[in-house]
Structure formats: C-alpha cells, structure tokens
Amino acid sequence: MSVTGVEGEERSNYTRAESRQIRARSLRLLGSLVRPVRGRIVVTMIVIVVSIALQVAGPALIALGINQGLPALLDSNDWMPVSLTVAAYLFTAIAGASLIALYQVMSARLSQAILLDLRKRVFLHTQRLSLEFHESYTSGRIIARQTSDLDSIRELLDSGLNQLVSGLIYMGFTAAALVLLDPTSGLVLAASLIPLLLLTRWFQVRSQKLFRQTRVASARLIVHFVETMTGIRAVKAFRKEPRNATQFAGHVEDYRHANARVIQLFGIFDPGLVLIGNVTVAAALVVGAFRVVEGELLIGTLLAVVLYTRRFFDPAEEMAMFYNSYQSAAAALEKISGVLEEKPSVPDPTTPIDLWKAKGAVHFDRVRFAYNPETVVLPELELSIPAGQTIALVGTTGAGKSTLAKLIARFYDPTEGAVTLDGVDLRKMHPKDLRRAIVMVTQEAYLFSGTVADNIALGNPEASREQIEAAAKAVGAHDFIVSLPQGYETDVNKRGGRVSAGQRQLISFARAFLADPTVLILDEATASLDIPSERLVQRGLQTLLADRTAVIIAHRLSTVAIADRVLVMEHGRIIEDGTPAELIAGTGKFAQLHAAWRESLV
Amino acid sequence: MSTTASPPAGHPAPPAPPRMSTARALARILPYAKPAMPWIYAGMVAALLAGVIALAIPLVLQSLVDGPLATGDPSQIWPAAIAVLVLGILEAVFIALRRFFVLTPGTHIEARMRNGLYAQLQDLPVAFHDRWQSGQLLSRAVSDLNLIRRWLSFGFVLLIVNGITIVIGFVVLFSWSLWLGLLFFVMSVPLWIYGYLFEQKYSVIARRAQDQQGDLATAVEESVHGIRVLKAFGRGKHSLLKFAEQAELLRATEIDKAKAIAGIWFWLVLIPDVAFALCLLGGVALAANGELSVGELFAFFATATVLRFPIESIGFLLAMTYDTRAATDRFFEVMDEVNTITDPAAPVSIEAPTGRLTFENVVFRYQDAPADQPGILDGVTLELEPGETMALVGVTGSGKTTMTALATRLYDVTEGRVLLDGVDIRDLTREELRRHIAMAFEDATLFSASVRDNVLLGRPDLTEDPSAEAAAEAERVLAEALDIAQADFVHSLPDGVDTTVGEEGLSLSGGQRQRLALARAVAANPAVLVLDDPLSALDVDTEALVEAALRRVLATTTGLIVAHRPSTVQMADRVALLQQGRITDVGTHSELLKRNEHYRYVISSLEDEELAAAERADRDLKLAEQEGRRRDAIDREARVIDSASDGPRGEVAR
C-alpha cells in the first residue's frame, strides 16, 4: 500500500518506512514555509532572548540592593549604590517590557506570514486538482484540511511555540542566574528537575490520551446536535424527540466524563507543580540559611535565591501544554502535505496553444475513458460535432452521457485518444481560451454567497450591470429577480438561501449566457425546474443556443425537441444517431423511449 | 413530554427586561447550579486557605531572617524551614482540594444546562428553527455553556478568593510598612484598570478574528462545494483573489490581536517590576533608618511576589464575568422563548383513525408578516375522504409545502382549523397526531444511524419492543418499505441495512436519500401519508417504478401529495389546484385539464402545449420585431407569467 498523496490518510498502522516517508514530506513542506522568513526568525529570537535576560535580572538586583546598597547607606550614608541598583532595575523593567511587547508583535507577524503562505498554497492547489480527485476525496475532508487542520497549526505557531520558546529561555536564564548567584542553590534546583520532568512526562502521556477522548466525545455531541437542528422537521414528524433526548443525554454524559477526567488530570498536575516548587524553596532555604548564619552567604542573596526558585516553575504548566498542540499540528501538517503532494490529473499545458476565437467544432478522436482497467466507461468513441449544432444525449444512468460531457469541458482527460476543439487538442489549449470557449451547466446550480448580480457576474467578471440584466432577461430570470426584496442586490445567503431550486437554475443559466461560450454543455440542467419555469427556460434556451455548439443531457424527453441531432448512448457507445424526427419515426431505442414517455403524459 | 422544558425550578422564566444587573443576570444560573453550590462554597474555603497559607510563608521567612539568621543561632533554622515545608505542602493540598471540590460538580451543572437547552430546542416549533441558524444554537450549546462552567468553577471562585487574598496581603504589607504598602497598592491599581480594559478591547478584536475566520471558512467551503462551477467557468484564480483578500484581512486582525496582547504584556511586565524597583529604593531607605527590619524587607518582597498573580488576575476575572453574563443571556434567550405549538391541556384521542383530513378556511401568515398582507394560505378549504389520494398542484410559492406542514402541526394555522376524523388536530397530543400522519420531505434528512433505524424511525412500537414477534414484524415492515421505495440499493451497501448513513456514515446521493425518506414515511404505516414532492431527485425509470408501488399503499391510505409532474398526479384520485393561497379548483386530472387554463399552464406537458405556445410566441415576436418592440414583448410576457407564479414570500420550507 502506498502513502503517496492522500492515500492511506485514514490509516493508523503505518510501517516504519511509511512513517519516515510521511514525516519527510511534511518536513519538506515546513522547510519550504520557513525558508523565506528565516532571517526574521533569527531577529525575533534575539529580541526574546534579550527581553527575558532583562526580566530575569530583577531578583539579582534586589539582592544587590540589600547586600551592597543597604550597608553603604548604613555605613556611610552613601545613596549611590542603591540608586544605581534601582536605576538599573527600572531600566531592565522598561527595556524588558518593551522587548517582550515587540517580540509578541514580531512573532505574530512571522506566524501569520507562514500561515498566509500555507493557506494560499492549499487553496490554489485544491482548485488545481481535478474533479476526479474531488469526487473521491470528500468535500468534508478537503474543507477540514483548510480549516481545522490549519487552525491547529495556527494554534501551535501562536501560543504553543511561543510558550515553549519563551518558557525554555525563561527557565534557562533563571537557572543560570541562580547558579551565578549561588552555585550550591543551583544544585538544589537541579535536583528538583527530576520530579519536575517525571511529573511533566506523566502529564503529557496521560493528557494526550484524555484530550483525544474529549475531542471524540465533543465531535459526537456536535454532530448529533447539528443533525437534530437541521433535521428538526423530520425529528418532529417522526416523533424522535424522546429517543433523541436519551441519546443526546448519553453524548452529554460521555463528554462530561471525558472533560472531568481532563480536569482531574490538571487537578493533580497543577498542585503537583506547586508542591515541587514549594519543597524546592524550603530546601533552598535550609541550604542557604545555614550558610547565612556562617557568614558564607549574604542575606540579600538568600532572598534572590528564594525568589528565583519560586519563579523557576512559573512557565511549567503552560509548557506542558505544548506537547498537545505540537502533536495535533504535526498530524495536521502531515495531512496537508499529503494533499499538496497530489498531482492534478488534468494539468495545465506547459506550452499552451492560443485559440482566440473558437468556431465550436468538437471532435472525439478514438477516445477511450476508464477510471481504472476494470471500469471502462467509454470503450472507443468517435464523434464529430460541427460548429453550431445542438446535440441531445439520451440514455440510461451509467451509459456514459455525463462522462462524454465532462470530457468536452475538460473536467477529465481521455485515457486514450483526444478531444479537440477546432482541431486543437484540449490538453494543449490555453486554459483561459478553453474556459472562455466551453462552459458547462450542471443540475446542481451552486450559488456563492453574495448578491444575485455577483452570482451572474461570475460568468464574466468584467460585465456591466446592463449586460448582467440583459443576460437575466434572455433566460427569463429577470422578473423573479426584480421581485426579490433587493432585486439584483439581494443576498442569496448561504447555499442559495431563499431562492428556490428552479430559480437557482435560472440564475445559473444567466451566468452561462453572460459567459457567452462557443460551446455550451447542459448536464441535466433543467431537472429541478417545475413546468412553468422549464417552459420559461426552454424559451430562453432557444435564444441561448441559437448560434453555438451545444450538448444537452436531459432525462425529460421534452428538452430533446429543440435539438438538431439526438445521440442515444448505451454502455459507453452511441447506438443511435439522427434528427429527432428520424429517430421517432424509426423503430429503435429512442422511438420506444419516446412512445413510453408520450404515454406517461396524459 | 412537558410543554415547556424550563429550568429545574419548574416555572417558565419571565422574558428578560432590557437590562438586568450582571449579578441578577448571573443569578439565573442558580436553579441549575443549586445542587453544586455547597461544593462551590467548599472550594472557595479551600482556595482561601491555600491563599492564606501562601501568604503565611513570607511571615515564617521574616521570623527566620530576623531571628536565627540575625542572631546566628543555627538550631532555630530547622523549625522555621520545616514550617515553610509544611506550609508549602499544605498549600498544594488545598489547591488540590479546591479543584477536587469544584470541578466535577461544575461539569454536572454544564451537562444539566445542556440537556435542558436541547430539550427546549426540540420542543420549540419549526418557525423558531427557521429564524435561528444551527450554528448559533450550537455555539450556545457548546462554547457558551463551557464558559459558564469555567466561570462557576474557576472565575467566580477565584474572583472572590483572590479579592480576599489581596485584602489580607495588603493588611500584612501595611503592617510592616505603611509607605511601602501604599506604594505597592497605588502601583497595582493601573494593572486592574488596564487588565479590565484590555479584556474588553481584546474580546472585540477576538470576536472580529472569529468572524473573519468564519468568513474564510465559508469561502473555503464554497470553493469546494462550487468547484464544478469554478472549473466550468475557469474562475479558480478569481476565487483565489477573493480568498487571499479575506485571508489578508484575517491576518491584519490577528496582528491587531497580537498588538493588544503585546500591550497587556508590556504593562504586566513593566508595572510589577517598576513597583519592585521603587519598593527596593523605599525599603532600603526605611531599613537604613531602622523603620523596617531586614527580615521584614525580605518578607515584603516574598509577599509581593505571592500577591502578583491575584493582583494581575482581577482584571481578566472581571472581564470573564462580563463574558459569562453575555453567555448566560444568550442561553436564556432560547430558554425564555415561548412555545406556540403545545399539547392541549385535555387531549382527545382517536382510537382507529379512518383518515379523513379536512382543511377548514385555513389561513396561514408568518408571525412577522403585516396583518393586512394576504397570508401564504388565504382561506383554504379542502376535504380528503378516507383512503382518497389528493394531489396538490400549483406554481412555486403558491403554498403547497405550507399546507403539508400544517397537517402535522409543524406550523399552526393562523385562522381556521385542520381536522382529522372531525377532530381539530390541536386537540390531539403532538405525539398522537404525528403517529397518525407521516411525512416525506423533498429535502430528505437522514440521521447518523443505520439504514434500518432511519427507515423504522416512525415505528418505536416495533424497534423498542424486545420480543421476537416485534423483531420479525420490524424486518417485514422494513423489507416492504424498502421494496415500495425501490431502495434495493441498500443491499449492496457495505453492511446492507445495517450500514450507517448520515453525517457520520456513508454519504448517499440525493435520489437514494429521497427513496429512504419515502420508505420511512411508508414504514410508519400512518392513516394519512403526506408527501412533499418526494420523487424530485429520481430518474425517470426509478420514478415510474416507485409510483407503481406507491399506488398499492395509497389504495388504502389517505394521501396528500405535492406534485410537479403529470406522472405524479396520476397516482392521485383527485387534484386540488392551489393559486395564490387558495384552492381554486378540485377535480380529476382530466377534468381539470379540460376546464382549467391555469392548471394546464402549471402541469400540462410541454410537448402538447409548448409547441403551440412557442409558435404563438414566435409569431408575436416576429410581429413585435417588425414594430421594433421586441424586448418589450418578452418583458411583458415574462411579467405576466411571473405575476402568476410568485407569491409574496418563498415557501415555508425554504
């Protein structure tokens, strides 16, 4: 089994070699993200190191003030030493505080630059990947890559890494200051590291497991909740409320339990840290006090030792959290790098051929299409569509109609043979020319958030308002749009909001009309319309198709009437080919279908 | 089920007045928190003891420095050191106790509130859910309740305890030196103010970042769901530009956020250190004058270090309190909502319904619609005889879906009545009504459960009965329903009828989902079957098979079917034509075809009529063109068609 790209993403039993391969590719991605900003990383590190060094100086300065300043004042009324110490303290306070603020902003700029880079890369790559990829890798997963996975990386960059870096430096400097001030106390602190490390390690191992359980429990809770709220009609209609309440209570209890366990974990870890800190302070105090009595240690130094020892443990709790955010970010990066490793199966040409003004002659030159050697959709297709002809494709589900349409739109590339437009292989044509010349409208008329006008303008972003309205009028969408609350400026909300399926379809026709392609493909595009709307569209279609090449897939045979030529498909082959009148008059498949359909009408 | 799922206190809470004090707003949590309150108080006591002990350690240090260290008597060091050790251990123990007391009860409060919210939401009518997006409800059920729990077991406890600790700490500091204590106190005031202001400012930026993150997520979702459109028009680059713009906005906000954090860090680091520096100056001066012992100076710094966290925390704890208040308000916004569709006080029961469904002068108007505007339904009267199948036909927006929703009280009529076997459906319990009338929707919802559970959703009488007969009967009903809906594809799913579908399971196509939803309605074995365009996503062949099978069911069951296609209408005994909220004609399909022009317009095949219409239109167009008024003609015609087709608002279902 391979782990290239997104393959094997859901597995958890990687072999050693596979893990290495995945780690290597996510490290490569990390490297390519960090390289452009490495200079800034160095500067940022210098800022934080200096800032923490200044902050850590405080207790040492207090010691200095008590050890030197107080005797000088007592002995010779000399204010100099204590004033100098206080001045130095004020300086470290201001400089340390300014630098830590600077560090915050600098590190945020850094992590945001990296994130923005990664966001754009994943977004663009997602758009580049072919439909084939999108059909096998579900929309939920590709969205998760770009939202929750990027969030866990952001979390790591924003807080996890920050806390780890500043925490480590802080502890390092505190320990160093302590050793410089009094090496003996440094030994006490070193001894405390052993329980500290053991406790932290224990916490990491436990928390990783428990955090995962909370995430699983909360995900279940959320899915159940959202399903209930979005499906409230079905819930009510089928009296699911009491059963739901029981199920939900179960999810709530699981989540509560998982949460309580995490909280209990902190309930041990947090006091544990306090305990280690306090015992270390007591030990440092004993070790120091005897030497103070013997005159080996100054009293101010003992104060500094106590303060340093106490402060040393401050960042420990936050640092322990780093491991968790690191783990989820690493997992996220592995998955993202997998998506980025996917190669588009419909790549842009390296030396594109321009086709400024297409005439619209489409030719299938011995085209074979197969998803894999077992499932051949089109065995061998030879078809010529002259410029300006309207073709209707008829046949049962799975006959290969949609595949044929998608090959013209270059959503797929043929396995063998070539599809050409005006003699140019689609694979070699400039992508811009291809998209300008060929447009496909599908049954699922997707609307993007924004106004109705925005959605039509997607067909041609440079279009004026007059052109947009003209397009809407041409397909019969103008009147319903004007009757919307804000007319063309009405927000269609998320996923079509208040616009009905038929109205969505009309908007998407207007979009296609505005794009003004040479070749237009309609894949079941009228299926969700009610009869009055369909009638309206049919009228619009006649305008729309007048002087272009068109391929129409429809399961309502009424649409076929406007075609110049009908192709009946079965098992990936064309079995009948002729004008509607010819085929109806004959005895073939189409004649049978047509008769059955006539019967179903009245 | 109770009609209002209210707080455990029992009575529905009154609607919130415009502005309640924060304390009163938060007190509304009390009914949920009551069982846990003793634990919370115990936690406060433990936290207070931990704070007092932390403050006691410097006192021991002071006696150590001024005692044995000053006199040089090593024998006294041990008792002091042991005292520090014992106090240190006790502090840890009391911190552990605080967490132990408070935290588990806190999770129970959260769980209780969550279940209460869910029960209320399930009970509230569909009209409520039309107004509220599930995302808004979700954030109440998850993050708001989370915040309330954290505040109760952490924020609330620490706010009170840290307040007391600060007071005690300052008393100790003042007892050593009035001036030093005052200096430290004055220095800590700006921290409180700045800490509070920061949280206010920060929560605004954080909210903005969250919104922008949501926008960005929407952009991602749309770019994925709409990928066919983007690819078809070659607009990938275009959408990247839009996405990049939004990502830039988010980045700018994140950097604003970092600047705000940098600001609070600046003051959090600066002010205590400046205070320490000034106290050092003052302390050394006082010690030199003999007004302060070295031990007291020593202990002063140790105490001030202990007080640093409580002082820093007050600002953000206050801000957290205000956030929690907002979360509480949001929670009760839902809980205070009055349910308008409830069970009657004295419900009537129909033992064996025959399935006579009657609409009597039914008017339906949205609650927020002005009274002078005609309703979505404007006086509908229609009677379905037992066993009869009625097709409901009309243009988009004529009120078909609304009528189907009224029959099961997903909405209640504004005026008039709906009767089942002569009984006003509002006199039945909702449970009983929905047992008698089953529905299938155009927008087929499946839940995360097995195919079996989804299809047998309306048959708890079979699925919750452990007996072998019930199990066998369940299998029979399941097989029959799947057969009628032509859903034999389920047998080729990985686990057959036990395959999990829905959000967490296998994703099915629209047609497959519709067939399962239809099977679900059939399996419920109701007296009345209401089908809202349930075959729209099926291909022609399957549609024909389903229709044939459905006829068998509808032979004995009363049926109300929303139809868009002639073939669906053919399943019905009679057809009712809805036009702008009124039934304008009832009769058989062929009767209506003969006598009603609007009916022909809505339903008749394109083939027959369209050719004629197109010819007519062509002729008109040619004439108009000659007169140079081509555009006008299209406009006029389209306007006439549309004025007939569009009601004042979209259908209820949208």
Side-chain angles (χ1 to χ4, degrees), chain A residues 227 243 449 458 530 535, chain B residues 91 222 235 396 448 457 610:
Chain A
E227 270 193 349
R243 284 169 279 165
S449 60
L458 199 79
D530 60 14
R535 195 172 296 152
Chain B
E91 187 194 0
E222 292 192 338
R235 296 280 171 261
T396 304
S448 289
L457 190 63
E610 180 62 17

Side-chain angles (χ1 to χ4, degrees), chain A residues 484-507:
Chain A
L484 291 173
Q486 279 99 38
Y488 281 86
E489 295 307 315
T490 307
D491 202 307
V492 293
N493 285 336
K494 212 175 170 283
R495 302 208 90 190
R498 294 194 145 244
V499 188
S500 77
Q503 293 169 334
R504 271 208 297 272
Q505 197 57 265
L506 287 175
I507 293 176

Side-chain angles (χ1 to χ4, degrees), chain B residues 348-382:
Chain B
V348 181
S349 182
I350 306 174
E351 275 306 315
T354 60
R356 180 187 303 278
L357 186 66
T358 316
F359 290 82
E360 229 180 61
N361 288 315
V362 167
V363 174
F364 179 80
R365 191 179 292 123
Y366 283 108
Q367 272 177 325
D368 50 1
D372 56 335
Q373 204 180 317
I376 304 286
L377 294 179
D378 194 22
V380 165
T381 298
L382 183 68

Side-chain angles (χ1 to χ4, degrees), chain B residues 143 145-156 320:
Chain B
S143 35
L145 292 184
N146 231 313
L147 178 63
I148 291 174
R149 192 249 306 151
R150 277 185 291 131
W151 179 77
L152 268 178
S153 51
F154 170 78
F156 176 53
M320 184 184 184

Side-chain angles (χ1 to χ4, degrees), chain B residues 425-648:
Chain B
I425 56 171
R426 284 169 295 190
D427 291 335
L428 300 166
T429 63
R430 287 168 291 169
E431 200 275 334
E432 180 175 342
L433 172 67
R434 291 166 190 168
R435 194 145 38 84
H436 297 327
I437 305 181
M439 287 188 80
F441 308 90
E442 179 185 9
D443 165 27
T445 310
L446 297 181
F447 298 100
S448 289
S450 66
V451 168
R452 178 201 311 275
D453 289 351
N454 267 294
V455 172
L456 294 177
L457 190 63
R459 297 305 292 275
D461 57 317
L462 297 181
T463 49
E464 306 208 329
D465 183 342
S467 75
E469 299 90 76
E473 174 67 5
E475 283 310 306
R476 196 192 60 74
V477 169
L478 176 68
E480 192 186 346
L482 289 174
D483 184 45
I484 288 168
Q486 305 298 315
D488 39 357
F489 68 89
V490 297
H491 300 298
S492 53
L493 297 178
D495 298 315
V497 292
D498 293 311
T499 310
T500 303
V501 293
E503 194 79 24
E504 279 186 301
L506 207 69
S507 72
L508 301 176
S509 75
Q512 291 175 323
R513 278 188 287 133
Q514 270 196 346
R515 275 178 276 169
L516 288 187
L518 183 65
R520 174 163 68 195
V522 170
N525 188 27
V528 181
L529 198 52
V530 178
L531 307 175
D532 182 7
D533 201 13
L535 312 176
S536 61
L538 303 188
D539 64 61
V540 183
D541 303 339
T542 318
E543 187 180 336
L545 291 173
V546 174
E547 279 163 2
L550 259 183
R551 277 206 188 96
R552 296 204 312 265
V553 179
L554 290 171
T556 50
T557 310
T558 308
L560 182 62
I561 304 178
V562 173
H564 280 133
R565 297 276 160 191
S567 57
T568 320
V569 172
Q570 311 230 311
M571 289 192 290
D573 303 313
R574 286 194 298 163
V575 184
L577 180 66
L578 250 181
Q579 216 174 338
Q580 289 180 305
R582 289 200 184 144
I583 303 278
T584 51
D585 207 346
V586 183
T588 65
H589 178 55
S590 38
E591 280 169 13
L592 290 195
L593 265 186
K594 254 179 235 138
R595 70 171 178 238
N596 196 311
E597 194 189 347
H598 183 70
Y599 184 71
R600 283 199 296 276
Y601 166 70
V602 175
I603 201 77
S604 82
S605 72
L606 290 155
E607 178 87 340
D608 300 333
E609 222 218 307
E610 180 62 17
L611 287 176
E615 274 165 26
R616 215 168 35 241
D618 275 353
R619 204 176 49 236
D620 287 353
L621 284 178
K622 273 188 201 121
L623 286 173
E625 218 162 14
Q626 286 166 359
E627 293 162 31
R629 291 190 285 108
R630 181 168 173 273
R631 282 281 156 209
D632 292 354
I634 296 179
D635 281 0
R636 195 174 55 239
E637 187 165 344
R639 211 173 306 134
V640 170
I641 291 166
D642 235 68
S643 67
S645 70
D646 267 293

Side-chain angles (χ1 to χ4, degrees), chain A residues 567-579:
Chain A
L567 300 178
V568 183
M569 289 187 75
E570 204 173 78
H571 306 305
R573 296 177 199 276
I574 295 169
I575 55 168
E576 284 170 43
D577 182 349
T579 66

